[in-house]
Amino acid sequence: MRRIALVTLVVDDYDEAIRFYTEALGFRLVEDQPRPDGSRWVVVEPGTEGGGSGLLLARAKDEAQRGRVGDQTGGRVGFFLHTDDFARDHARMREAGVTFLEEPRHEPYGSVVVFQDLYGNRWDLLQPATA
């Protein structure tokens, strides 16, 4: 079986990124290991262990990478977080201070709302419609 295991997300600071993804979004910290060059290997996942793709949180190393923090997809929604309970997760995230860019919508494909992570990357919180 083939699947995308990790997607790199360039961040300003490891610890603030870990806090946001684990506390505000409810992800779990899978790995946080120091590397010989002073960086860290930090992986967070939104679901249960092995249940999907994870994010590799990589601290920007230079000016070019710092310029990409928060704009890794040119202002488009670049990340899609599926849920099985839209109302629950939307309310929990709102309480945790997540910035939503619109009111929730109910589309033929499901319930959706666009939010920003702590750096400004755009995400969809999406509960797909049942077939």
Side-chain angles (χ1 to χ4, degrees):
M1 176 190 331
R2 297 180 349 168
R3 69 179 176 95
I4 296 174
L6 295 174
V7 173
T8 299
L9 190 64
V10 182
V11 300
D12 278 332
D13 180 82
Y14 291 117
D15 294 322
E16 74 178 1
I18 290 168
R19 269 191 306 280
F20 177 81
Y21 285 98
T22 60
E23 294 175 13
L25 298 189
F27 285 29
R28 59 188 198 82
L29 180 62
V30 175
E31 202 170 351
D32 184 357
Q33 297 295 321
R35 304 205 44 190
D37 66 357
S39 67
R40 290 159 52 186
W41 182 263
V42 178
V43 176
V44 294
E45 285 184 354
T48 59
E49 186 172 352
S53 298
L55 292 177
L56 173 65
L57 304 178
R59 186 181 62 208
K61 291 183 178 182
D62 57 31
E63 200 55 42
Q65 289 180 11
R66 279 188 286 284
R68 292 293 183 205
V69 171
D71 189 28
Q72 295 185 66
T73 59
R76 292 185 57 114
V77 171
F79 307 95
F80 300 83
L81 182 60
H82 281 199
T83 178
D84 61 357
D85 189 333
F86 183 86
R88 174 200 66 210
D89 289 339
H90 179 255
R92 188 189 57 71
M93 290 166 63
R94 185 178 294 281
E95 290 237 347
V98 173
T99 300
F100 288 92
L101 302 178
E102 63 180 11
E103 292 300 314
R105 297 178 279 125
H106 303 287
E107 303 288 350
Y109 56 85
S111 298
V112 63
V113 65
V114 177
F115 69 93
Q116 289 183 169
D117 66 16
L118 75 160
Y119 298 113
N121 293 301
R122 291 174 181 233
W123 291 67
D124 271 359
L125 175 64
L126 174 65
Q127 181 174 359
T130 55

